């Protein structure tokens, strides 16, 4: 698991310098994410994608859970009431419908979740709308203090906005 640190950069020039400094500190580009106002030219920055800016992960997990539950319920009813082979219940059919229900639920909920802004970033909406740029860096816990100190020293114009734990590695 990683920890995510948040910084607000006042402008593009500052954000680009921070990107350079993070690369010099050997932070992998895949773990550096910038979110700016809609339509801003993010050239030279690793722009945040839907994994960081939307609620897609939470929505997919919720959809998977609800879809699996509904699928198992429907599969059990179908297995007990309409057996395909013989007289007894078809438990394998119930399991298959449960798995399919989970897959359909996760897929459909993620299509909705991709259009919902991340609740984690709601507190930054005003600053981003004013033209500031949000920097998110995902780091192993052992490197957090080192990178925070480097950013504080090299970028006094930036504002540290907090740290969040338990960021899955694939985000």
């Amino acid at each position: 698991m990683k920890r995510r640190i948040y910084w607000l950069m006042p402008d593009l020039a500052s954000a680009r310098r921070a990107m350079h400094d993070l690369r010099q500190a050997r932070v992998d580009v895949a773990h550096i994410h910038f979110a700016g106002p809609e339509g801003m030219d993010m050239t030279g920055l690793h722009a945040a994608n839907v994994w960081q800016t939307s609620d897609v992960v939470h929505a997919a997990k919720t959809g998977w859970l609800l879809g699996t539950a509904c699928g198992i319920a429907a599969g059990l009813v179908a297995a007990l009431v309409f057996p395909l082979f013989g007289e007894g219940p078809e438990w394998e059919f119930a399991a298959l419908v449960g798995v399919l229900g989970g897959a359909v639920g996760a897929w459909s909920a993620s299509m909705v979740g991709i259009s919902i802004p991340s609740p984690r970033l709601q507190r930054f909406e005003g600053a981003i709308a004013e033209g500031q740029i949000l920097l998110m860096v995902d780091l192993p816990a052992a490197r957090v203090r080192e990178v925070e100190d480097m950013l504080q020293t090299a970028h006094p114009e930036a504002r540290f906005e907090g740290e969040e734990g338990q960021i899955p590695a694939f985000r």
Side-chain angles (χ1 to χ4, degrees), residues 39-142:
M40 178 178 270
D41 178 20
M42 302 289 274
T43 303
L45 302 175
H46 186 249
N49 60 31
V50 296
W51 295 108
Q52 292 88 35
T53 61
S54 73
D55 201 27
V56 68
V57 174
H58 177 260
K61 287 178 185 177
T62 303
W64 174 79
L65 182 66
L66 293 174
T68 300
C70 291
I72 288 173
L76 287 174
V77 168
L80 292 172
V81 177
F82 307 108
L84 298 176
F85 304 106
E87 296 293 319
E90 303 288 334
W91 302 120
E92 300 84 7
F93 182 71
L96 176 65
V97 173
V99 169
L100 290 174
V104 169
W107 175 77
S108 59
S110 67
M111 294 297 108
V112 173
I114 206 165
S115 65
I116 299 171
S118 172
R120 290 179 168 162
L121 303 184
Q122 280 181 334
R123 63 186 169 132
F124 304 113
E125 286 177 356
I128 291 172
E130 292 173 1
Q132 295 184 50
I133 300 162
L134 177 64
L135 165 61
M136 299 172 274
V137 186
D138 300 334
L139 299 163

Side-chain angles (χ1 to χ4, degrees), residues 1-2 4 57 61 120 138 166-171:
M1 294 303 246
K2 296 194 176 272
R4 177 171 288 168
V57 174
K61 287 178 185 177
R120 290 179 168 162
D138 300 334
Q166 305 299 316
I167 299 297
F170 66 88
R171 291 188 71 197

Side-chain angles (χ1 to χ4, degrees), residues 17-41:
R17 285 191 311 273
M19 178 74 176
H20 174 76
D21 293 341
L22 288 165
R23 293 295 298 133
Q24 292 293 95
R26 298 189 185 274
V27 176
D28 186 19
V29 171
H31 300 293
I32 304 168
H33 318 288
F34 289 91
E38 187 86 22
M40 178 178 270
D41 178 20

